[in-house]
Amino acid sequence: MFKKYDAYKNSGIDWIGEIPASWDVKRLKAPLAERNEKNDPIKTDFILSLTMHQGVIPQSEKTGGGNKPKEDLTAYKLARPNDIVLNSMNVIVGSVGLSKYFGVVSPVYYMLYVRDESKTNIGYYNYIFQSQAFQKNLGRLGTGILIKKSEASGKLNTIRMKISMDDLNNELLPIPSFCEQNEIVDFLDRKTLEIDQAIAIKEQQIALLNERKQIVIQKVVTQGLDPNVPMKDSGVEWIGEIPEHWKISKIRYLGATQNGISAGGDYFGTGHPFVSYGDVYKNRVLPETVEGLAKSTLSDQKSFSIQEGDIFFTRTSETIDEIGFASVCFKTIENAVFAGFLIRFRPFLKSPLIKEFSKYYFSSPMMRAYFVKEMNLVIRASLSQELLKNLDVLLPSIKEQKEISEYLDDLTDKIENAVLIKYSEIDKLKEYKTTLINDAVTGKIKVA
């Protein structure tokens, strides 16, 4: 339990409420100034990026490529070590960080530095910008809301709200003494590091659980449940040995493929159910109720229908990493159509492949390895029907497929429940971190 200050007073600031009686209230422009230095003439070609989770980082760490400029860097602004860098479009959702580098940033960023280092700890003000209470408060200053219609789902999304530097300059902030600022920064540096480390451990545990799940799925859908069954070479390099009595077939002999519907933006947003790229990418089993809507005709609904047993594959994306994900339809969605970014595979009547087995087989890691190896990436990654038709499918007996799916249902339920518990623990840690930052920078707790 943290201590409180001896006396408090009304700050006159809605998002803060009461502050310690010894603290002051001043506008942001009193302790901080904007650094508005252009990179003209060129002083550096070291490009910085700002991310919500990593803060200010070299662009090469974000992209994985070289730190090479792709445009005229004279339009960029300079950021120096110990500058607060914030995105004028996204600061209200936490796009802000303290720079450790000398580099250039996008013209939409603001850089703030302290006017007097003998009276001001920049870290304290960085933590104010990290406070969700302060970020929420800044929402009232946002202008120029940008609305964008998603091509895949037809939904309208609010993207950004720009905040002017003039408005920021006039925001009232709590001002502790320089000594207290140092104590708050030292406390929050230590505590947030401990919390971040605890979160990282739980994220690693989640990754290991998910990895174990994928390993078991792949082993069971290729080798079955009986460890003593005689094995044979499948004849497919990426599959390896399989049970001797299992069959194998190209998917082209098991059903028919069909690309989804392509239409302009006006087609989406109202009308009948529309299965989007996201519905398939995020789910092993297709949701029975989807959010997307499309103005589909009866002809569209006949050609691009969604029936029980259908398997949908993500067909095209900016990167190869998002291609070939599969989702199985367990219940027919009436009057629905599906996106042009998808391929539908519809098994023939009396197919030797059941939907319960399909949901695990087509989501196994070896499927991803197959698609990545075989696909040609030019401008956009794309899965062709011909490549999909050439996919090898293992066919245990219907009885074995049911046994395998029941075993995997039980195992994945247990693992996914364990993962949910870890996510819940992470959420509580993040909530604690948020509360700690807010309480420390507003004087609700005394840290020393």
Side-chain angles (χ1 to χ4, degrees):
M1 191 70 177
F2 295 106
K3 296 182 292 184
K4 298 281 188 179
Y5 285 82
D6 294 333
Y8 287 84
K9 65 183 179 183
N10 186 358
S11 68
I13 308 171
D14 289 342
W15 70 271
I16 297 177
E18 290 190 331
I19 59 172
S22 61
W23 287 24
D24 202 352
V25 172
K26 293 182 180 179
R27 299 193 186 279
L28 181 145
K29 62 185 175 183
L32 303 178
E34 181 187 9
R35 187 185 306 283
N36 200 9
E37 297 180 65
K38 296 287 176 33
N39 192 34
D40 186 11
I42 297 290
K43 299 178 182 67
T44 177
D45 61 359
F46 189 65
I47 305 176
L48 302 176
S49 291
L50 180 60
T51 72
M52 289 177 60
H53 301 294
Q54 296 174 280
V56 182
I57 59 172
Q59 188 182 76
S60 57
E61 291 184 18
K62 180 180 179 182
T63 63
N67 196 28
K68 296 181 180 179
K70 295 184 179 179
E71 55 187 292
D72 180 7
L73 293 184
T74 58
Y76 280 56
K77 294 179 181 178
L78 292 175
R80 297 182 181 274
N82 283 329
D83 280 357
I84 294 175
V85 181
L86 58 95
N87 187 332
S88 63
M89 299 287 193
N90 285 337
V91 65
I92 62 173
V93 291
S95 186
V96 60
L98 194 61
S99 177
K100 295 185 293 186
Y101 311 97
F102 174 63
V104 291
V105 295
S106 164
V108 303
Y109 293 169
Y110 300 143
M111 270 64 63
L112 302 175
Y113 67 95
V114 297
R115 294 183 183 276
D116 186 346
E117 292 185 356
S118 67
K119 296 180 180 178
T120 307
N121 187 324
I122 190 68
Y124 170 74
Y125 293 94
N126 179 51
Y127 277 120
I128 286 183
F129 274 101
Q130 304 298 330
S131 164
Q132 287 190 4
F134 182 58
Q135 292 168 9
K136 184 177 180 181
N137 163 67
L138 291 178
R140 76 188 203 288
L141 303 176
T143 59
I145 299 174
L146 177 64
I147 303 295
K148 183 177 180 181
K149 180 179 284 188
S150 167
E151 185 178 353
S153 69
K155 294 174 64 177
L156 296 178
N157 299 314
T158 301
I159 307 299
R160 293 178 174 180
M161 295 177 67
K162 183 177 175 64
I163 294 178
S164 74
M165 193 63 230
D166 286 342
D167 284 338
L168 273 178
N169 273 329
N170 286 303
E171 279 300 287
L172 292 170
L173 302 179
I175 312 289
S177 69
F178 183 51
C179 178
E180 287 173 301
Q181 289 179 40
N182 293 335
E183 290 170 347
I184 290 169
V185 170
D186 289 344
F187 169 80
L188 288 177
D189 282 350
R190 184 175 70 256
K191 286 294 186 180
T192 56
L193 177 61
E194 291 172 359
I195 295 169
D196 289 342
Q197 288 173 337
I199 289 172
I201 290 171
K202 294 187 183 298
E203 288 174 339
Q204 185 179 30
Q205 292 169 341
I206 289 172
L208 290 172
L209 284 166
N210 285 329
E211 183 181 4
R212 176 173 173 252
K213 179 176 69 175
Q214 292 301 320
I215 289 171
V216 174
I217 288 174
Q218 179 151 314
K219 181 177 180 181
V220 173
V221 299
T222 57
Q223 299 179 21
L225 298 172
D226 183 357
N228 300 313
V229 68
M231 305 291 283
K232 67 179 179 182
D233 185 359
S234 66
V236 181
E237 181 182 357
W238 52 273
I239 294 179
E241 289 194 330
I242 61 174
E244 195 174 62
H245 62 287
W246 284 19
K247 297 178 181 178
I248 188 168
S249 171
K250 299 289 186 187
I251 202 172
R252 68 172 69 246
Y253 303 119
L254 301 175
T257 58
Q258 165 89 34
N259 285 355
I261 193 166
S262 294
D266 292 342
Y267 186 81
F268 306 102
T270 60
H272 302 286
F274 173 72
V275 172
S276 69
Y277 181 97
D279 292 325
V280 172
Y281 180 72
K282 297 175 184 177
N283 302 287
R284 188 185 294 122
V285 174
L286 200 65
E288 292 184 12
T289 302
V290 294
E291 293 184 4
L293 295 172
K295 300 183 183 74
S296 56
T297 64
L298 289 175
S299 176
D300 293 339
Q301 293 165 18
K302 182 178 179 181
S303 298
F304 306 100
S305 59
I306 291 99
Q307 296 180 5
E308 178 182 344
D310 288 349
I311 305 168
F312 293 88
F313 295 86
T314 55
R315 182 178 72 84
T316 183
S317 181
E318 296 293 342
T319 69
I320 202 168
D321 295 328
E322 297 176 351
I323 300 301
F325 282 85
S327 184
V328 181
C329 179
F330 268 50
K331 184 178 179 181
T332 297
I333 304 176
E334 299 294 342
N335 306 320
V337 296
F338 62 99
F341 299 114
L342 304 172
I343 297 179
R344 182 191 67 200
F345 168 72
R346 176 165 292 169
F348 296 137
L349 292 176
K350 298 182 180 179
S351 169
L353 187 65
I354 65 171
K355 60 182 184 292
E356 292 83 2
F357 179 74
S358 294
K359 78 172 180 179
Y360 291 112
Y361 184 81
F362 291 107
S363 65
S364 63
M366 63 182 181
M367 290 295 109
R368 301 288 312 118
Y370 166 77
F371 290 130
V372 169
K373 180 181 177 183
E374 298 296 328
M375 197 177 306
N376 291 320
L377 181 60
V378 187
I379 299 174
R380 285 176 65 91
S382 185
L383 170 62
S384 67
Q385 288 192 44
E386 197 57 36
L387 176 57
L388 181 60
K389 288 176 181 178
N390 206 41
L391 178 67
D392 290 291
V393 181
L394 298 182
L395 297 169
S397 67
I398 299 295
K399 178 175 179 292
E400 278 186 279
Q401 289 184 48
K402 290 179 178 177
E403 290 171 347
I404 287 170
S405 65
E406 288 170 1
Y407 172 83
L408 290 177
D409 282 345
D410 182 62
L411 178 113
T412 56
D413 280 349
K414 289 176 180 176
I415 293 178
E416 286 165 8
N417 284 335
V419 167
L420 286 175
I421 290 171
K422 295 296 178 187
Y423 275 124
S424 176
E425 293 169 350
I426 288 173
D427 287 342
K428 289 176 181 177
L429 284 167
K430 289 180 176 179
E431 184 178 347
Y432 177 58
K433 178 180 175 181
T434 296
T435 301
L436 209 58
I437 291 173
N438 187 68
D439 287 353
V441 300
T442 60
K444 300 298 184 294
I445 59 174
K446 189 174 183 180
V447 302

